[in-house]
Amino acid sequence: MSINTDKVKIIFGLKIRQLRLDKKLSLSEVAEKSNLSISYLNEIEKGKKYPKTEKIMALASAFEVDYDSLVSLKLNKQLEPIAELLNSNILTELPLEIFGIEPSDFIELMSQAPAKISAFISTIIEISRNYDMRVEQFYFSVLRSYQEMHDNYFEDLEESAQKFRTLFEITPTTSPNEKLLKDILENFYHYRIEEFTPEQYPDLITVRSVFDPKNNKLLINKTLSTEQKAFSYGREIGYQYLQLKNRPMISSVLEVESFEQVLNNFRASYFAGAILVNKDILIGRLTYFFASPKWDAAMLLNIMRLFSVTPEVFMHRLSNVMTSHFKIKNLFFLRFNNQVDHNSFHLTKEMHLTKLHTPHGTAMNEHYCRRWLSLTILKDLENEQKANGYDAEEVICKAQISEYIDTENNYLVICLAKPSPPNKIVNSSITLGFAIDDNLKSSVNFLSDSALLHRKVNETCERCSLMDCKERVIEPIILQKRQAREKLKVAVTKLIS
């Protein structure tokens, strides 16, 4: 069902139902007054039917309202949020079917309890405005939910990647490099590929690539690493091989036109990771890695270096096989950026397959726990860069057992930190965290390694009860407010008991 096409029917149905309820009439009473059948009126109220002129006039007479107000698309104040939702592009662009929801189901829900749904929608809109939530953020939140529903593993994309590798005779042990993927784009998909420098396009200094569909030309930033170029080429192949037409033309998300663009970008990116990292080879190597009784950072880095990938692509691929093959699904993924010589950390990507509430990084204007490995490893990398030079393309790897204060949530956290070209003054950390449960204990032998660092952590300083924390950067103001409220409740209870 097209929401735009049926918007008039939906609004008309909502108005009819609201009028009937306001006048305390049953469907049978309206049927008798208008000479229309109960079943037909029910279809109208659900937004499935739009009556002809003479029947609208009969309804106007039954409700004692004028014809023009009945056919007007304007809703009363009580139902305005629903009109705002219908007039927006959200329902038309979100593929509700991927969540098992038919648009007709949503419309029927609105017709059954329009006032309650209206209040709910109004609340969501108000929250998004208060937190300055852009439509892009909404789309990415929906995408994360989609990934979480599928444990971040998509068999159709895995099969497409394998067929591509077979088509171009890429052996299982081969990770296609920048040169091979560039040749495929140029010779098979007839791309024109040009590298650009910051001097040529100073405004594009932080952009990895730009695609010009009119000329089938791909501009790619010359300062990227070979692994970044390989991924960029792989994603372009993904758009073509999967026939994804609606796509962003720039690698950095500035503004998206639809959820379809966000979803297609994800699918092309997933495909790129799958052709760069052969799933079966990765699973075989990880099996040996997890069987080791000792945590071995060098071994994990050596596995990564088998493939022409960035640490971020490698960790994403790790999350795919952890859920599909090792059946470890309680995990989270975080990417932080940190500017050199600055003490601020920006969470730029997150995904939570675990149903636990920590560690979510969505706090607004709060200070993430400085004991998180995601943050400490960035400072470790910065110190190494100061000692060895900032031009070194170094990747460091560390692990930590994070024990969350005030909860029973414990995680094995594995983190990679790296420079983030083309932005030379920014470093990134990529983190995979695994909830420590019986399943993880049976799969990962090195969990009991005494050399693994154990640390008490929390979400943010503002919420943390650890008063003697040396890493604290601000007082626990949110915790203190909560404690003050609890004391007030106790005092009131004593007074009235």
Side-chain angles (χ1 to χ4, degrees):
M1 178 184 290
S2 168
I3 299 293
N4 278 343
T5 303
D6 295 315
K7 183 175 70 174
V8 173
K9 289 192 287 187
I10 298 165
I11 291 178
F12 185 82
L14 290 173
K15 293 180 76 169
I16 292 297
R17 179 180 174 84
Q18 195 62 44
L19 277 169
R20 181 173 65 79
L21 294 176
D22 289 345
K23 293 181 179 291
K24 296 181 173 56
L25 296 173
S26 66
L27 276 172
S28 59
E29 288 173 323
V30 176
E32 185 178 347
K33 286 176 175 287
S34 63
N35 201 28
L36 300 175
S37 70
I38 293 176
S39 60
Y40 186 67
L41 286 170
N42 192 40
E43 293 285 282
I44 290 174
E45 288 193 0
K46 289 183 178 181
K48 295 180 179 180
K49 298 285 186 182
Y50 190 85
K52 294 181 180 179
T53 301
E54 61 272 17
K55 293 180 179 179
I56 296 176
M57 293 180 69
L59 285 168
S61 175
F63 289 123
E64 298 179 348
V65 297
D66 62 273
Y67 176 91
D68 289 341
S69 67
L70 203 56
V71 297
S72 168
L73 293 180
K74 186 176 180 180
L75 289 170
N76 61 28
K77 186 176 182 180
Q78 192 179 23
L79 299 178
E80 274 181 1
I82 289 181
E84 185 174 347
L85 180 68
L86 291 171
N87 288 322
S88 74
N89 60 356
I90 291 177
L91 288 181
T92 61
E93 291 173 353
L94 283 181
L96 296 174
E97 64 276 5
I98 70 175
F99 297 103
I101 301 171
E102 292 295 330
S104 57
D105 296 334
F106 190 83
I107 291 164
E108 187 167 350
L109 178 64
M110 288 195 296
S111 68
Q112 288 174 352
K116 293 179 180 178
I117 296 296
S118 178
F120 174 74
I121 293 170
S122 181
T123 301
I124 296 299
I125 291 172
E126 184 67 19
I127 290 172
S128 67
R129 284 172 178 164
N130 287 342
Y131 285 91
D132 193 25
M133 186 176 182
R134 304 187 308 275
V135 67
E136 291 89 352
Q137 293 170 305
F138 177 75
Y139 288 151
F140 284 117
S141 294
V142 174
L143 177 63
R144 284 195 296 272
S145 298
Y146 178 57
Q147 290 175 261
E148 291 162 13
M149 282 178 58
H150 294 273
D151 295 323
N152 200 35
Y153 181 80
F154 298 86
E155 187 60 43
D156 62 323
L157 296 176
E158 298 286 346
E159 291 176 358
S160 294
Q162 186 55 48
K163 288 177 182 177
F164 172 85
R165 291 177 65 98
T166 302
L167 175 65
F168 288 94
E169 299 180 345
I170 301 172
T171 63
T173 56
T174 300
S175 178
N177 59 21
E178 167 200 353
K179 183 179 184 305
L180 174 59
L181 297 176
K182 181 181 179 182
D183 286 344
I184 292 173
L185 276 176
E186 290 179 327
N187 297 318
F188 192 82
Y189 292 108
H190 309 295
Y191 267 54
R192 291 172 52 206
I193 299 175
E194 296 179 9
E195 294 189 347
F196 67 88
T197 65
E199 291 74 26
Q200 289 174 293
Y201 299 100
D203 292 336
L204 301 181
I205 188 171
T206 61
V207 173
R208 297 187 179 188
S209 65
V210 180
F211 179 63
D212 176 6
K214 292 182 180 178
N215 300 304
N216 217 34
K217 181 168 71 172
L218 180 69
L219 288 172
I220 192 155
N221 196 318
K222 191 174 183 177
T223 64
L224 297 182
S225 67
T226 57
E227 293 81 10
Q228 287 175 318
K229 290 178 182 178
F231 175 76
S232 295
Y233 295 147
R235 183 169 54 190
E236 286 298 326
I237 290 172
Y239 287 127
Q240 300 299 328
Y241 188 82
L242 301 173
Q243 299 182 0
L244 305 174
K245 303 301 182 185
N246 189 357
R247 51 158 295 179
M249 300 304 165
I250 186 170
S251 59
S252 303
V253 179
L254 301 177
E255 184 175 340
V256 294
E257 297 175 0
S258 66
F259 178 74
E260 185 183 7
Q261 275 193 0
V262 172
L263 182 61
N264 286 346
N265 181 65
F266 165 75
R267 288 177 62 81
S269 299
Y270 189 106
F271 176 88
I275 64 173
L276 289 166
V277 180
N278 185 309
K279 177 179 65 175
D280 295 332
I281 300 297
L282 179 60
I283 289 170
R285 297 300 178 119
L286 287 176
T287 300
Y288 283 109
F289 172 69
F290 290 130
S292 171
K294 297 290 184 181
W295 157 253
D296 191 339
M299 185 188 295
L300 187 62
L301 287 174
N302 285 336
I303 296 173
M304 182 186 74
R305 291 176 182 128
L306 292 173
F307 311 102
S308 301
V309 293
T310 64
E312 182 171 347
V313 173
F314 177 69
M315 295 290 260
H316 263 297
R317 201 72 183 116
L318 213 62
S319 74
N320 302 147
V321 301
M322 292 304 290
T323 62
S324 64
H325 178 79
F326 295 96
K327 307 305 178 184
I328 295 173
K329 299 182 179 182
N330 286 334
L331 62 85
F332 65 85
F333 175 98
L334 303 175
R335 183 184 69 193
F336 275 93
N337 286 350
N338 170 239
Q339 188 172 325
V340 174
D341 285 329
H342 284 69
N343 201 33
S344 58
F345 302 89
H346 303 283
L347 181 63
T348 55
K349 189 177 289 186
E350 64 177 320
M351 176 185 68
H352 298 268
L353 303 188
T354 175
K355 302 306 178 186
L356 306 176
H357 293 295
T358 52
H360 279 284
T362 54
M364 296 292 292
N365 300 318
E366 293 183 36
H367 297 78
Y368 302 113
C369 177
R370 265 40 180 184
R371 295 177 170 213
W372 281 4
L373 183 60
S374 303
L375 276 54
T376 60
I377 197 173
L378 284 167
K379 288 307 174 184
D380 292 339
L381 175 61
E382 184 178 314
N383 291 334
E384 291 198 18
Q385 289 172 325
K386 288 178 179 178
N388 303 318
Y390 289 97
D391 291 331
E393 291 290 322
E394 185 168 8
V395 178
I396 60 176
C397 176
K398 295 194 175 186
Q400 174 178 302
I401 302 293
S402 293
E403 303 169 358
Y404 272 77
I405 299 168
D406 302 327
T407 76
E408 296 181 354
N409 299 338
N410 297 326
Y411 293 88
L412 166 66
V413 178
I414 298 175
C415 195
L416 301 178
K418 64 177 183 65
S420 190
N423 196 332
K424 293 184 177 180
I425 62 171
V426 172
N427 291 326
S428 297
S429 67
I430 314 298
T431 302
L432 269 181
F434 307 95
I436 298 178
D437 51 23
D438 291 340
N439 191 20
L440 191 75
K441 290 175 183 177
S442 66
S443 301
V444 180
N445 280 353
F446 59 74
L447 274 178
S448 57
D449 183 3
S450 59
L452 269 176
L453 177 66
H454 286 243
R455 296 206 78 182
K456 296 279 188 183
V457 302
N458 215 323
E459 288 191 293
T460 67
C461 289
E462 285 84 345
R463 300 170 188 269
C464 184
S465 61
L466 192 63
M467 304 311 296
D468 60 347
C469 177
K470 295 179 181 178
E471 291 85 357
R472 179 180 290 282
V473 294
I474 194 172
E475 291 300 306
I477 52 178
I478 292 179
L479 175 66
Q480 291 167 351
K481 288 180 181 178
R482 185 165 65 241
Q483 290 173 337
R485 286 197 298 271
E486 292 301 319
K487 288 181 180 179
L488 180 60
K489 287 181 183 178
V490 171
V492 171
T493 302
K494 288 181 178 179
L495 283 172
I496 62 178
S497 60

